[in-house]
Structures are given as C-alpha cells and as structure tokens.
Amino acid sequence: MSALSFKIDKVKLDTQQKTVLWNGDRIPIHGHMVCSGMSNRFMVYFVDRKYAFIPSIYMPHQRLVVKFVYFEEIHDYFYLADTKETIYGYYNTECPELNCITVNQPIRELCY
C-alpha cells in the first residue's frame, strides 16, 4: 500500500511542553495532537523551527503516522479539531511529505 486516506473520529490535543525521543535525539515539543479513526492514528508534534523539517513517517505495524510541524501552526490544527466538518488523515508511504490532516478527502496517487 502506498497511500491511504481515512476519516478521523477522535482528536486529542495536548499543549504541555515536553520532550520526545526520536531516532536517539531528545526533541522539545510545544504540544501534540493525536487523531484516530478506522484503526489508524496520525500524531502531530508541534516543534521549534529547526525540528519542523524532520521527515514525516508511517509506521505500518502501529498504523501510525508521525509528523513534526512548526509550533506557530498549532492554531490551524486546533481549528481542524474544533470544526464541525469531517476531517481526514492522509498518508503516503512513497511521498511522506504529502502526509496531512485535512477537511477535504485527499485523492493523491502520485508524487510530484
């Protein structure tokens, strides 16, 4: 499977500052968001600019997508959590830069 979009049923937000261990490094985070649905999860960590370029990854055994986002975008993600519209998670194993959470059901089959 190279790509999947799924409807998100639950969203959990946490704005506590902590650190997470990622590939042997301690990364300071300004909070995180966990979205779940259809047995999949999408976790967004809100980080300083120097960590925002860590590539998104899909972990197939856990059915989990992890994405690092610059913390100034946190309010955009909170808006998604509060919206009355259906939100979707999307991941693409071949092009992880396309991994996202959106109000539109993404249809992406190719990398550009």
Side-chain angles (χ1 to χ4, degrees):
M1 170 183 41
S2 63
L4 175 74
S5 60
F6 61 96
K7 181 181 174 208
I8 292 173
D9 299 319
K10 293 181 184 177
V11 176
K12 180 181 175 191
L13 302 167
D14 183 352
T15 57
Q16 289 185 338
Q17 292 191 3
K18 339 177 169 178
T19 59
V20 294
L21 190 60
W22 189 258
N23 290 332
D25 295 323
R26 291 209 171 272
I27 311 271
I29 64 169
H30 298 270
H32 68 277
M33 177 177 176
V34 180
C35 302
S36 59
M38 298 175 58
S39 300
N40 297 289
R41 291 177 295 143
F42 198 117
M43 180 173 282
V44 179
Y45 288 116
F46 302 104
V47 296
D48 292 328
R49 187 177 303 277
K50 73 179 188 177
Y51 299 109
F53 298 104
I54 296 173
S56 179
I57 190 168
Y58 172 62
M59 299 175 204
H61 292 96
Q62 297 156 335
R63 299 185 74 164
L64 171 67
V65 178
V66 177
K67 184 172 180 93
F68 292 84
V69 175
Y70 183 42
F71 75 91
E72 287 191 3
E73 297 179 35
I74 198 168
H75 298 291
D76 297 332
Y77 284 86
F78 282 17
Y79 170 78
L80 279 175
D82 289 337
T83 187
K84 301 296 182 205
E85 296 182 56
T86 303
I87 58 175
Y88 297 90
Y90 174 81
Y91 59 87
N92 185 313
T93 57
E94 295 175 14
C95 296
E97 65 274 8
L98 298 178
N99 296 348
C100 65
I101 298 170
T102 179
V103 294
N104 301 313
Q105 186 172 7
I107 301 172
R108 296 179 178 157
E109 295 297 328
L110 302 172
C111 289
Y112 298 98

